[in-house]
Amino acid sequence: MQADARYAPAAKISGSAQLSAGKITITNSPITMGASLSLVPLLDYVARREFAAAGLRPGEVTLPYPVAGGESTCTVHYWASAGEPRLPPLLLIHGFGPRATWQWRCQVGPLSRHFHLIVPDLLGFGDSSYGGGGGESPPPPPSEATQAAAMAALLDALPGTNGRRVAVAGTSYGGFVAYWLARTAGAERVGPVVVASSDLLKTAEDDKGFLKRAGDGWRGVDEVLLPKEPAAMRKLLEMASYRPPPAVLMPDFLLRDFIQKLFTENREQHIQLFKGITVGTDKFPVTPISQEVLIVWGEQDQLFPVEKAYAVQRSLDGKARVEIISKTGHAPQLEDPTRFNKILMDFLLDTHNFGVLPLMEYIARRAFLAAGLRPSTVTLPSGDGDGEARTTTIHYWAPPGEPRLPPLLLIHGFGPMSTWQWRAQVGPFSRRFHVIVPDLLCFGSSSCPSSPPPSESAQAAALLTALPAILAGTTAAKARVAVVGTSYGGFVAYAMARAAAGGERVGPVVIASSDLMKTAEDDQALLERAGAGGGWARPADLLMPLDARGARRLMEMTFYRKQVAAMLPDFVIRDTMQKLFSDRREEKIELMNATTVGTDAFQLTPLAQDVLLIWGDHDQIFPLDKAFAVKSCLGENVRLEIIKKTGHVPQMEEPDQFNKIVMDFLVASPGSPSA
C-alpha cells in the first residue's frame, strides 16, 4: 500500500506492498529442521496477519531528515488503518527490541474497532531508515526529539490526519518519543498520552541498578538490551518477562537465530541510537504537559522498576493516572493484553475531547455531509422594548445552492444536537426534499436571547423569519414548507403551522412524540414513572441529568430497548451527559419553564394543514394514551401512526419504518409542497 502523495506535496511516497489480495508474502528463509530451525518467519507471519486482520495496511513515506541544517532524507515505514480516518486517530510507538508488529500485535485488533490506527517503525528500526539523499557527511543518529519530529511529519503526510488531534501511546523507548511529541506539538495537535513501561527520569544511577539486577559479568546495559550471545538473550528475556520461557525451550541455536534476525541487522545503528538517548541528561528535562497522561507499568518490571512509575507521575505534577498491572514485566501489553487493552481503552474514551461524544458527533455529521447538507448560519435583526437593535443567529444545515426539490424543515427536541436526532432521516429525505435542519434558539450553535427565554411560539416566529433568508434569492423563498418536529420540536412545528394563517407558508405537518396537551399533572406522573428514589423535584432534573445514574434512567425511559443503557459504562454516560447538558443548562431550564403548552396561554385547536401524528407504543416520556387525546383535539381527519417496539424516539429506534410513514404522508398530502 502507498500513502497518497496528494496529501504530502513535499514528500516522496512509495509502496511497501508485501500484503496483496489478502495474502502475505514472507521473504525470509524457509523453515527447516535441526540447527537451522527458525521461528522468526512464523512469528513475523502471525504478527502481520494480526495487523492485516485488523484492517491495517503497510506503507512508507520519504521525508526530510528532521535535523537542523541537514540535507538528508529519512524513510518512515508504517502500518495504518485503510483509507482516510473515520475514527479518532491513535499513534502506537514501539520500543527497542522486536519490530512494531510484534510489540503491538495484541492491541491492533481491539483498538481498531474504536480508532484509526497508525503504527510506524521508528527511524533505524524495521524498514524505516535515515541518512538518505546524500550530503557531505552522514547525519547524526536520531534522538528522541528527532524521532518525535519524524512522527509529526508522518502524521502531516498521511491522508486525513494533517491537522487532526491524535492520541499517542508509546512503550519503553517509544514512551520517550511519545512524551517528546506531546510536549513539542502541543495539546492542539496531540491529545491524550499513554506512557507504558517508560522511565522518563532514567539516569546513570538507574543503569547501575539495572546491571546489579542483571548479575555479574555485564559491562554495560547495551550488552543485555542489544544481545550478541545466547546468554545475553536469555538474560534479556528473564528480565523483561514475568514468566520467561523455561530454559528447555530456549536452546542456544534458537536464541542465536533470534539474535541474528532481530538484533544483528542495523546493530551498529541501534548502538548509536542507544547512546544517543537524551533521557537523564540536560537535553531531556521532564516537565508537566497540558495533555492528560496515563502511565502503565508492569508490577514485576526489572528493566524499569515499578517505583519509577510513581516518580514519573510526580514529575508531571502528580496529575497523571498510574495503572499497575500485576504479574507482568516490561511488556504488559504482551503478557496481559486483555487487562492492558481495557485500561488503555477506558482512559482514551474517558479523556476530555477524545471520548465517545466526539465520535458520535463525527458519525452524525458524516451522515449530514453524505446527504449533501452543509452547515451555515442566518442572522436576523430584532429589537427590544427600548428600541435597541439586537441580532438573532440561527445555525442550520441545508443543501447549498438554489433548491431543486420542495423544502422540508426538520425540528429537533430537547437533548442531543439536531445532527444526532435526525441523522437517520437526512439521507432518505434528501432524495425527495430540500432538507433544512436548524438548531433552535438556545441549542447547538444558535444564539440564545438573554431575556425573556423564547417560548415555542417565539421559536416558531424565529424560524418563519429565517426561512425566507435561508431560501433568499430563489424561487423557493415563498414556497410552502413541510414541517416535521419531534418532542419539543413538535410544539414548535404546531406553533409554526398555526402562525402561518391559512397554510400559505407551512404545508403538511408531522408531529412525533409530542404531547400538545401536557399539563402539570402529566409532569408529576412523569416523575412518578421515573421512580420516587431518584430525587427528581422537577422534570428538568430528569430530562437534563448531570450524573450517570440520572442519565441511565433517562435513557431507559427514552428507548424501548433497555440494553442501550445497560451496555454503556458509567464513565461514558457521565462524560456524554456532562457535555450535552452542562452547556447553557440554566438557559435551557428557563426555556423549559417558558413552554406555554399546558398553561392557559396555550389553546390546542385544529390546524388548516394536513397533520400526521407519530408515536412509539412504549413511550414513557409522553405515554401512548396522550397520542389519542391530541388526535381527538386536532380533529378526526388527523392521521395517527403508532410504531411498535419503540419509545420516545421512534425516528432513531425504527428509522426505516419512521421514514416510510413520513415519506408516504408527505408525498400523498394534497397540501404538500411536493404535490
Side-chain angles (χ1 to χ4, degrees):
M1 176 181 174
Q2 298 182 359
D4 195 333
R6 294 174 300 171
Y7 292 85
K12 176 186 175 185
I13 300 176
S14 59
S16 172
Q18 300 220 12
L19 181 72
S20 176
K23 298 181 179 179
I24 296 180
T25 302
I26 301 176
T27 57
N28 304 75
S29 303
I31 300 175
T32 57
M33 300 301 292
S36 62
L37 173 67
S38 177
L39 290 178
V40 174
L42 176 60
L43 294 174
D44 191 43
Y45 172 80
V46 172
R48 290 170 63 90
R49 286 293 294 178
E50 293 284 354
F51 271 57
L56 276 68
R57 300 293 181 265
E60 62 182 33
V61 54
T62 300
L63 303 161
Y65 187 57
V67 175
E71 298 179 356
S72 298
T73 60
C74 61
T75 299
V76 180
H77 178 271
Y78 63 89
W79 287 75
S81 302
E84 292 193 27
R86 296 178 178 273
L87 297 171
L90 170 61
L91 181 70
L92 300 178
I93 307 178
H94 65 84
F96 264 86
R99 55 205 67 178
T101 49
W102 289 31
Q103 297 188 40
W104 294 115
R105 65 182 177 82
C106 298
Q107 281 65 56
V108 290
L111 292 177
S112 66
R113 304 184 191 112
H114 303 273
F115 302 97
H116 180 94
L117 299 181
I118 305 161
V119 189
D121 290 331
L122 291 172
L123 299 180
F125 295 88
D127 293 320
S128 294
S129 60
Y130 62 94
E136 297 181 359
S137 59
S143 64
E144 304 93 314
T146 306
Q147 298 277 18
M151 295 300 100
L154 170 66
L155 294 175
D156 289 339
L158 293 180
T161 59
N162 188 1
R164 287 195 64 176
R165 199 164 186 256
V166 178
V168 180
T171 179
S172 194
Y173 175 77
F176 303 164
V177 179
Y179 168 81
W180 199 278
L181 176 62
R183 193 169 78 171
T184 54
E188 292 184 358
R189 189 72 174 91
V190 174
V193 180
V194 180
V195 175
S197 313
S198 185
D199 183 6
L200 301 176
L201 301 171
K202 186 179 75 68
T203 64
E205 292 302 315
D206 291 311
D207 290 343
K208 292 179 182 179
F210 173 87
L211 293 175
K212 186 176 181 180
R213 291 189 298 276
D216 297 334
W218 309 105
R219 293 172 297 179
V221 175
D222 59 309
E223 286 189 13
V224 178
L225 297 184
L226 297 172
K228 292 194 297 184
E229 299 295 335
M233 184 70 188
R234 191 174 287 109
K235 176 59 66 176
L236 175 60
L237 290 172
E238 290 173 357
M239 297 187 70
S241 306
Y242 170 70
R243 301 182 187 86
V248 69
L249 297 181
M250 294 191 294
D252 283 359
F253 78 87
L254 193 61
L255 296 179
R256 286 194 186 95
D257 179 66
F258 274 88
I259 293 170
Q260 176 66 29
K261 292 182 170 61
L262 298 180
F263 294 98
T264 300
E265 184 182 4
N266 295 332
R267 178 177 178 78
E268 291 305 317
Q269 273 194 342
H270 289 170
I271 291 175
Q272 294 302 316
L273 280 169
F274 191 81
K275 293 180 178 179
I277 292 175
T278 61
V279 168
T281 70
D282 294 339
K283 297 179 180 179
F284 195 107
V286 177
T287 57
I289 55 179
S290 58
Q291 295 92 336
E292 296 192 54
V293 180
L294 168 67
I295 299 171
V296 184
W297 225 273
E299 181 187 37
Q300 305 295 327
D301 191 340
Q302 294 190 66
L303 301 189
F304 298 143
V306 69
E307 59 264 20
K308 299 306 294 286
Y310 298 101
V312 172
Q313 182 192 38
R314 289 191 296 270
S315 72
L316 297 175
D317 274 355
K319 296 179 181 178
R321 185 188 308 179
V322 175
E323 291 282 353
I324 307 300
I325 302 181
S326 61
K327 297 182 180 180
T328 63
H330 188 63
Q333 79 274 18
L334 297 176
E335 291 195 272
D336 194 346
T338 301
R339 176 66 176 153
F340 182 93
N341 295 345
K342 184 179 187 305
I343 290 171
L344 188 69
M345 199 89 69
D346 287 351
F347 169 73
L348 292 176
L349 296 179
D350 192 27
T351 304
H352 180 65
N353 287 335
F354 207 86
V356 173
L357 187 64
L359 174 59
M360 295 178 69
E361 184 176 2
Y362 172 77
I363 293 172
R365 288 174 64 91
R366 288 289 296 180
F368 272 56
L369 292 170
L373 278 67
R374 298 295 180 267
S376 187
T377 58
V378 57
T379 301
L380 309 175
S382 61
D384 61 13
D386 299 327
E388 180 183 350
R390 294 182 179 178
T391 58
T392 298
T393 300
I394 293 182
H395 177 271
Y396 66 93
W397 287 77
E402 182 173 351
R404 299 177 180 274
L405 296 171
L408 171 63
L409 188 69
L410 303 180
I411 308 176
H412 64 84
F414 263 85
M417 57 278 297
S418 58
T419 49
W420 286 26
Q421 298 186 42
W422 296 117
R423 67 181 179 86
Q425 281 65 54
V426 289
F429 288 175
S430 65
R431 303 184 191 112
R432 298 293 298 268
F433 298 93
H434 183 89
V435 178
I436 304 166
V437 187
D439 289 336
L440 292 172
L441 298 177
C442 301
F443 291 89
S445 299
S446 293
S447 61
C448 190
S450 56
S451 63
S455 65
E456 65 272 36
S457 298
Q459 297 274 20
L463 291 180
L464 287 170
T465 304
L467 281 174
I470 294 173
L471 303 171
T474 72
T475 56
K478 297 182 180 180
R480 285 160 53 88
V481 178
V483 180
V484 181
T486 179
S487 193
Y488 175 78
F491 300 167
V492 180
Y494 173 82
M496 283 186 68
R498 194 163 72 170
E504 295 180 358
R505 297 183 61 190
V506 175
V509 180
V510 179
I511 297 173
S513 311
S514 185
D515 183 6
L516 296 172
M517 301 184 67
K518 184 180 71 69
T519 65
E521 288 75 13
D522 292 315
D523 289 342
Q524 185 60 38
L526 171 65
L527 297 179
E528 291 174 359
R529 288 193 298 275
W536 298 291
R538 54 185 179 171
D541 297 331
L542 173 67
L543 300 178
M544 291 189 291
L546 285 179
D547 58 45
R549 184 178 62 87
R552 198 178 295 278
R553 184 61 184 135
L554 175 60
M555 293 179 68
E556 291 171 351
M557 297 187 68
T558 300
F559 293 94
Y560 167 73
R561 297 172 180 86
K562 304 299 185 290
Q563 299 92 329
V564 175
M567 288 169 54
L568 296 176
D570 279 357
F571 78 86
V572 172
I573 293 181
R574 182 172 57 250
D575 175 71
T576 302
M577 292 302 114
Q578 286 178 346
K579 290 181 173 68
L580 286 177
F581 297 112
S582 294
D583 181 43
R584 295 178 174 177
R585 178 175 175 79
E586 292 305 318
E587 289 90 338
K588 289 178 181 176
I589 291 176
E590 292 180 3
L591 196 71
M592 193 175 293
N593 294 333
T595 301
T596 62
V597 170
T599 70
D600 294 337
F602 181 88
Q603 296 295 324
L604 184 62
T605 58
L607 296 174
Q609 297 89 344
D610 293 328
V611 179
L612 168 66
L613 298 178
I614 302 180
W615 229 272
D617 65 341
H618 285 78
D619 191 338
Q620 293 190 67
I621 305 297
F622 296 144
L624 180 59
D625 58 301
K626 301 307 295 283
F628 296 98
V630 172
K631 182 179 184 299
S632 65
C633 284
L634 289 178
E636 291 300 323
N637 293 327
V638 173
R639 177 177 160 190
L640 171 61
E641 291 282 352
I642 299 169
I643 301 182
K644 295 182 179 179
K645 296 183 179 180
T646 64
H648 189 61
V649 285
Q651 79 275 17
M652 299 176 71
E653 291 195 274
E654 285 292 344
D656 292 341
Q657 188 175 354
F658 181 93
N659 296 346
K660 184 179 187 304
I661 291 171
V662 173
M663 197 83 74
D664 290 348
F665 168 74
L666 293 178
V667 172
S669 174
S672 172
S674 64

